[in-house]
Amino acid sequence: MKKQIVSSALALSMVFGGAAYLPEGFSAQNSIVAQAEDILTYGDFEYTYNDDRTVKITKYTGDSADVTIPSSINGKNVTSISSAFIGCYGITSVTIPDGVTSIGDNTFLFCGDLTSVTIPKSVTFIGCDAFAYTKWLENKQNEDPIVVVNDILIDCEKCSGDVTIPNNVKCINSSSFSKCTDITSITIPDSVTEINNGAFMSCTGLTSISIPNSVISVGNGLFIDCRSLKSVTIPNSFTEIGYSDFAFCESLTSIALPDSIISINDEAFNGCTSLTDITLPDSVSYIGCGAFRNCTSLTSITIPANVSYIDECAFDGITSSVKIFCYYGSYAEQYAIKNGIKYKLFDEPEEAPEEEEKFEYPAYGDDSDSDTDSDHAHNYTSKITKAATCKSTGVRTYTCSCGDTYTKTIAKTAHKYTTKVVAPTYNAQGYTQHTCSVCGDSYKDTYTAKLTRTSIAKATVTGISNKVYTGKAIKPSPAVKLGNRTLKKGTDYTLSYKNNVKCGKATVTVTGKGNYTGKVTKTFIIKPKKAAVKKLSSPKTRQLKVAIKQSAGGVTGYQITYSTSKKFTKKTTKSVRITSTSRTIKNLKKGKTYYVKVRAYKKTGGVRYFSSYSAVKKLRIK
């Protein structure tokens, strides 16, 4: 059975928050923000630059059946390919050069005629559906239903029954087992260190799986819609239950979480309708939105004292049926009270009589072994011998005039919280901090979203012009405007420079700061210093000798331009380039006056950069 292309859309929408293809009751919280990139061309390829200034191939525009991807463009190494060949039906073979490390999602999707692909060992990442619907992938699946490339498991759509992943596999790719409905169990070897988004999504026949401790990097939505899954072993290497990891695993009745788990993220167990009770380990501090949404059989959840945040919608759909087991004064207790959820305290304090309470205790009777006289009634007075605080219980001691004593526990006092509202920043959420003025205990609630910086990628940058070599770093200070707002250097952006000393092409990069993010890079030319004619002479008949005053800055050479017209009209003008500071030009017209000007040039990166022309001088030829 062919995987439908919607599996990729479903994986993205379910794992990253889009609304399309989501099961009923699913709440999306995240979104993908696309940023525009400058598109450049090189032969039959379009490309952009990665952050490290290596090249990413983004589109193939040619019509050749056999395609070889360049290893470098303009001196920059090609390291990644992204969605470049979607729907290129006529391509039969592709050679990917050594040095490419990443083949992105959908790169060769629907290249139906593609039968030959050369993938170098340098490739360490292959995206979801990178080779979907190609003959190359179909042929590999016919050879082995578990398709592995460079130790990356990329596709297992023809697998069924009990599956054992080969020992050489290091990475299980996004959606590798997606919609493999005939698989019942999967054995993962210790060689695997990475499992990516939605790797086992919609494996509706999968009943059990064990993840080894070797796995240290995991994506989100690992087991979405695995409706038969009953048994899962989660390793100590996991620090969180990811976004929607077990959403709609309706056969999951219980799950043991290791002490390494810190957070239960959004929608983690959404729709686990058979889950009856769960105990969160003491390490957990965060429970996200919809974490247990619509877990309609969940009646008991144990929440440790370490939990400092529970989202308002964590228990959507079950607030009337679930009971929280927690500790006195904990965040979980405050949450239960605030949201009207039943709860039970592990350390619920007992009530004690009022201070200095006096009462008569009846005689013990005629027991001959008693320490008291049967006619004596105890007359107790009480005194607090240990004051209760919000962190510990107190002690009240009762003493009779005869010397008999006993004690009772005084309940902890309530925390005396002061409230402080912490505003959101660009790096962190805002929240309300509640801190006890007695013991320092604190908890947070009323979270607000991080501030969003504005990208300056489309800002207008003006005031950058070509400069003349000075021997020192040249640092133009441009004007930066975004929309109608003129940005301020040092507050809204910083400037950085590259190749701005020697002659050639230099760059200035504007980087967002404070309220702004993103970058804009502009170029300017550093030209050689203006050259000068030192002397003109006519040493022999029909000859013109030009001596040039040497320019500073290590120029490559000079261009001499001469003409019989002082306006240097095209048909009367000639030029010659030299690497020395003088040249004798022969075969000129005797008795004619020649006009001469010179300019210096610097050759770098295969390009000549010229100075301005010198003043014009003239000489009559012998």
Side-chain angles (χ1 to χ4, degrees):
M1 178 185 70
K2 286 280 187 182
K3 275 194 290 188
Q4 298 179 0
I5 189 59
V6 296
S7 69
S8 295
L10 180 60
L12 288 173
S13 62
M14 294 181 74
V15 175
F16 297 116
Y21 307 109
L22 298 179
E24 183 177 356
F26 190 85
S27 173
Q29 300 295 324
N30 298 349
S31 61
I32 298 175
V33 179
Q35 294 185 342
E37 300 177 275
D38 294 331
I39 303 300
L40 307 169
T41 59
Y42 178 86
D44 291 332
F45 298 93
E46 292 182 359
Y47 68 96
T48 63
Y49 286 110
N50 297 308
D51 289 341
D52 61 358
R53 300 302 292 169
T54 58
V55 173
K56 175 169 64 178
I57 301 293
T58 58
K59 188 174 183 180
Y60 176 68
T61 58
D63 56 7
S64 176
D66 301 315
V67 177
T68 298
I69 296 172
S71 60
S72 64
I73 294 176
N74 296 330
K76 303 294 184 182
N77 292 333
V78 175
T79 60
S80 57
I81 311 166
S82 177
S83 306
F85 296 89
I86 294 177
C88 293
Y89 299 103
I91 294 177
T92 58
S93 72
V94 173
T95 300
I96 301 172
D98 190 43
V100 170
T101 60
S102 172
I103 301 174
D105 295 349
N106 309 319
T107 295
F108 296 98
L109 179 67
F110 295 126
C111 292
D113 296 327
L114 184 63
T115 55
S116 174
V117 183
T118 301
I119 302 176
K121 288 292 184 181
S122 58
V123 171
T124 58
F125 174 81
I126 299 175
C128 180
D129 285 330
F131 297 96
Y133 302 98
T134 64
K135 290 181 180 178
W136 176 81
L137 180 59
E138 184 177 348
N139 292 337
K140 293 187 75 68
Q141 289 170 336
N142 290 333
E143 296 172 6
D144 189 343
I146 301 180
V147 179
V148 179
V149 176
N150 289 3
D151 299 334
I152 306 170
L153 192 153
I154 65 170
D155 201 294
C156 293
E157 70 175 66
K158 293 189 177 181
C159 290
S160 61
D162 300 328
V163 175
T164 299
I165 296 173
N167 285 326
N168 64 311
V169 171
K170 295 179 180 178
C171 172
I172 299 175
N173 221 25
S174 298
S175 304
S176 294
F177 291 91
S178 174
K179 293 187 177 296
C180 293
T181 56
D182 295 328
I183 291 177
T184 55
S185 70
I186 300 173
T187 301
I188 303 174
D190 290 338
S191 60
V192 173
T193 60
E194 180 179 351
I195 303 176
N196 289 321
N197 294 330
F200 309 102
M201 181 181 67
S202 296
C203 289
T204 54
L206 181 66
T207 60
S208 66
I209 190 169
S210 178
I211 302 174
N213 282 314
S214 58
V215 176
I216 57 176
S217 176
V218 290
N220 292 308
L222 294 184
F223 301 101
I224 292 178
D225 200 37
C226 290
R227 298 183 181 270
S228 300
L229 186 63
K230 296 180 179 179
S231 173
V232 182
T233 300
I234 299 176
N236 289 323
S237 57
F238 277 36
T239 59
E240 61 182 8
I241 302 301
Y243 180 76
S244 303
D245 271 354
F246 295 95
F248 311 107
C249 292
E250 58 187 25
S251 297
L252 193 66
T253 57
S254 64
I255 188 168
L257 302 179
D259 290 336
S260 57
I261 298 297
I262 296 173
S263 59
I264 311 296
N265 289 334
D266 295 358
E267 315 290 344
F269 295 97
N270 178 14
C272 291
T273 54
S274 296
L275 190 64
T276 58
D277 65 86
I278 188 168
T279 298
L280 304 184
D282 290 342
S283 53
V284 171
S285 63
Y286 175 92
I287 302 174
C289 179
F292 298 96
R293 188 194 308 274
N294 295 328
C295 293
T296 51
S297 297
L298 186 65
T299 58
S300 168
I301 181 169
T302 299
I303 301 179
N306 193 47
V307 168
S308 60
Y309 177 74
I310 306 174
D311 195 277
E312 291 291 333
C313 60
F315 299 96
D316 273 6
I318 60 168
T319 54
S320 62
S321 58
V322 71
K323 188 173 187 178
I324 293 175
F325 289 81
C326 55
Y327 291 89
Y328 178 75
S330 67
Y331 184 95
E333 182 193 14
Q334 304 295 327
Y335 178 88
I337 294 171
K338 181 179 178 181
N339 292 279
I341 299 175
K342 297 188 295 291
Y343 70 99
K344 172 70 175 175
L345 299 178
F346 292 117
D347 53 352
E348 189 166 13
E350 61 178 275
E351 295 183 0
E354 295 296 325
E355 173 137 7
E356 298 300 330
E357 177 184 8
K358 295 183 179 181
F359 64 94
E360 291 187 353
Y361 193 86
Y364 288 107
D366 295 327
D367 191 339
S368 59
D369 293 331
S370 173
D371 292 335
T372 63
D373 191 289
S374 60
D375 294 330
H376 173 69
H378 288 291
N379 184 21
Y380 288 102
T381 58
S382 69
K383 181 181 179 180
I384 295 176
T385 52
K386 179 185 176 184
T389 69
C390 50
K391 291 292 284 186
S392 62
T393 57
V395 176
R396 184 186 295 274
T397 301
Y398 294 84
T399 305
C400 179
S401 57
C402 72
D404 186 72
T405 64
Y406 71 97
T407 61
K408 281 193 174 183
T409 299
I410 303 174
K412 294 177 183 178
T413 62
H415 289 290
K416 295 181 179 179
Y417 286 110
T418 59
T419 300
K420 178 183 178 182
V421 177
V422 178
T425 68
Y426 294 107
N427 298 316
Q429 291 177 308
Y431 54 89
T432 300
Q433 175 89 32
H434 303 271
T435 305
C436 178
S437 59
V438 177
C439 67
D441 181 81
S442 66
Y443 69 94
K444 301 173 183 177
D445 61 12
T446 317
Y447 282 76
T448 54
K450 295 178 184 179
L451 299 179
T452 302
R453 290 185 173 93
T454 302
S455 174
I456 64 170
K458 294 185 178 180
T460 301
V461 180
T462 58
I464 298 177
S465 59
N466 294 341
K467 305 295 181 181
V468 176
Y469 173 82
T470 64
K472 299 179 181 179
I474 297 175
K475 299 181 178 181
S477 185
V480 181
K481 194 171 184 179
L482 187 61
N484 295 323
R485 178 181 172 83
T486 299
L487 306 188
K488 185 176 180 180
K489 179 183 175 183
T491 301
D492 300 324
Y493 65 89
T494 60
L495 298 175
S496 59
Y497 305 87
K498 188 176 181 181
N499 301 325
N500 62 325
V501 176
K502 297 180 180 180
C503 296
K505 182 182 290 186
T507 61
V508 54
T509 300
V510 183
T511 303
K513 181 183 178 182
N515 296 339
Y516 298 91
T517 186
K519 295 180 179 180
V520 181
T521 298
K522 297 295 182 181
T523 61
F524 62 96
I525 303 301
I526 300 178
K527 303 188 298 182
K529 279 189 173 182
K530 189 174 183 179
V533 177
K534 185 176 182 181
K535 182 180 179 181
L536 294 180
S537 61
S538 182
K540 293 183 180 180
T541 304
R542 300 179 65 193
Q543 290 186 355
L544 170 64
K545 183 177 182 181
V546 181
I548 302 170
K549 184 178 180 180
Q550 188 170 358
S551 296
V555 299
T556 306
Y558 302 89
Q559 179 177 320
I560 301 171
T561 299
Y562 55 98
S563 175
T564 55
S565 167
K566 62 181 178 181
K567 293 184 178 180
F568 290 89
T569 57
K570 185 175 181 179
K571 66 179 181 179
T572 64
T573 302
K574 294 182 179 180
S575 294
V576 60
R577 285 196 295 268
I578 62 175
T579 57
S580 61
T581 55
S582 68
R583 170 64 66 91
T584 299
I585 302 168
K586 302 177 180 179
N587 300 320
L588 301 180
K589 295 180 179 180
K590 183 179 178 180
K592 274 283 189 180
T593 296
Y594 279 79
Y595 298 87
V596 180
K597 58 183 179 181
V598 298
R599 59 179 179 173
Y601 69 88
K602 175 72 174 180
K603 186 176 182 180
T604 178
V607 179
R608 291 184 180 89
Y609 297 95
F610 290 91
S611 72
S612 300
Y613 271 110
S614 67
V616 177
K617 290 193 175 183
K618 63 181 179 178
L619 181 71
R620 185 180 178 84
I621 303 301
K622 291 182 181 178

